[in-house]
Amino acid sequence: MDTIKIPKHIAIMMDGNGRWAKKRFMPRTFGHRQGSKTLENICKDTYDLGVEYLTVYAFSTENWSRPKDEVEGLMNLLKEYLNKIVKMSINNNMQVKIIGNVKKLDNEFQSLINNLEKATANCTGLKFQLALNYGGKDEIIRTTKKIALECLNNKIDVSIINEDLFASHLDTTDIPEPDLFIRTGGEKRLSNFLLWEMAYTELYFTDVLWPDFKKDDLGKAIYDFSKRDRRYGNVIE
Ligand code: IPE
Ligand code: IPE
Ligand code: MG
């Protein structure tokens, strides 16, 4: 039997919370809450399966345009989650980083993020990135500005700008590009996630709604990935 190739880095777009709640005649926030429980389980499952890096999309730069009460509900839930996972992350040896336009979030977020990142900085297990107020285009613009400032301050010369230099200024610096992208909820688009980083990522779409996503579904995605022939990116033998 062929051995299964395990992706080193999986990126997940956790979609379908609203529809999951609607099917139960419940408010969308109920779906988001259930989704956050799914995420706690999937973090453990991902590491159990031998994956080293997991990046998940929790809130996009576009999500601000949702109804005010949903945005408020999501912000409260995210704050609760950032607080809640400190202990769980340490117990599971998970190193957590927040990516996205974090500076635009309120002070409470800043201290929760600081606390979580510091508390888990020395963990050596799963490297877990949570994308919060994240947009791929926004990340590319912020990165461009960082590099432009370094040029203006004579720290670097324009001539040395290349793909490696650009990547090292992204939010995902030091994190290998995702090998496998999973989107739950049935939509087949990237919705502004990791645009630079996923130039050669294998894409996998499933109709399973995020709150229903289980270790078996993760296994199916990895199995599907394992059968693909990769020419570029991180070719796993
Ligand atoms: C994804 O679920 C979670 C977030 C975007 C925060 P949705 O809220 O998009 O759920 P659907 O797609 O409407 O079912
Ligand atoms: C993408 O899901 C963003 C997150 C999962 C955080 P959306 O539900 O917001 O994406 P669109 O609007 O369907 O493209
Ligand atoms: Mg959606």
Side-chain angles (χ1 to χ4, degrees):
M1 204 184 94
D2 286 349
T3 51
I4 301 273
K5 287 181 245 168
I6 301 291
K8 192 170 177 173
H9 182 181
I10 297 183
I12 304 184
M13 191 173 295
M14 310 179 288
D15 198 17
N17 294 347
R19 279 163 284 166
W20 185 89
K22 196 175 173 200
K23 279 202 327 199
R24 289 162 178 76
F25 307 101
M26 294 296 279
R28 295 177 63 85
T29 311
F30 179 69
H32 296 315
R33 186 165 286 281
Q34 192 61 36
S36 80
K37 289 183 191 148
T38 298
L39 178 56
E40 286 182 43
N41 293 330
I42 289 297
C43 279
K44 291 176 202 147
D45 299 338
T46 310
Y47 197 57
D48 281 352
L49 291 169
V51 175
E52 292 174 50
Y53 297 82
L54 173 69
T55 303
V56 302
Y57 209 1
F59 193 87
S60 75
T61 47
E62 286 71 29
N63 287 151
W64 294 108
S65 63
R66 292 192 178 200
K68 198 170 158 258
D69 61 333
E70 186 181 357
V71 172
E72 241 170 58
L74 273 166
M75 289 301 133
N76 291 336
L77 183 64
L78 283 163
K79 284 177 183 172
E80 201 182 296
Y81 174 79
L82 290 173
N83 192 26
K84 189 178 173 205
I85 65 161
V86 176
K87 240 199 210 142
M88 185 273 274
S89 306
I90 297 171
N91 288 342
N92 290 299
N93 199 17
M94 249 166 68
Q95 191 187 89
V96 191
K97 273 192 191 146
I98 310 301
I99 61 166
N101 204 338
V102 173
K103 285 188 187 140
K104 289 273 163 70
L105 299 170
D106 68 26
N107 287 340
E108 201 184 343
F109 264 116
Q110 307 295 334
S111 63
L112 285 164
I113 290 170
N114 251 325
N115 181 38
L116 176 60
E117 288 185 341
K118 267 200 197 130
T120 62
N122 295 323
C123 292
T124 53
L126 182 73
K127 304 245 182 321
F128 175 53
Q129 289 70 235
L130 185 74
L132 246 183
N133 192 21
Y134 177 89
K137 288 186 179 177
D138 178 73
E139 184 190 25
I140 291 170
I141 299 281
R142 284 186 291 106
T143 302
T144 307
K145 284 183 181 166
K146 276 187 229 168
I147 296 171
L149 268 179
E150 290 185 12
C151 290
L152 281 171
N153 295 330
N154 291 320
K155 280 198 189 141
I156 58 167
D157 190 82
V158 177
S159 64
I160 71 157
I161 299 174
N162 60 16
E163 289 183 15
D164 286 345
L165 182 118
F166 198 88
S168 73
H169 286 70
L170 289 164
D171 295 350
T172 51
T173 175
D174 295 335
I175 297 163
E177 292 177 354
D179 304 294
L180 171 64
F181 164 79
I182 300 172
R183 182 172 187 153
T184 62
E187 307 293 349
K188 294 181 181 66
R189 52 179 174 260
L190 291 181
S191 300
N192 204 8
F193 195 34
L194 301 172
L195 296 184
W196 173 284
E197 295 86 343
M198 298 211 296
Y200 256 96
T201 298
E202 295 293 331
L203 309 178
Y204 180 87
F205 300 93
T206 169
D207 289 335
V208 176
L209 303 173
W210 176 249
D212 289 329
F213 194 79
K214 300 271 178 327
K215 191 175 186 178
D216 271 2
D217 301 302
L218 183 65
K220 274 188 209 159
I222 293 177
Y223 182 67
D224 191 272
F225 166 85
S226 183
K227 288 184 301 188
R228 300 189 191 183
D229 218 357
R230 300 193 78 197
R231 294 224 225 143
Y232 302 102
N234 177 25
V235 180
I236 300 161
E237 293 305 334

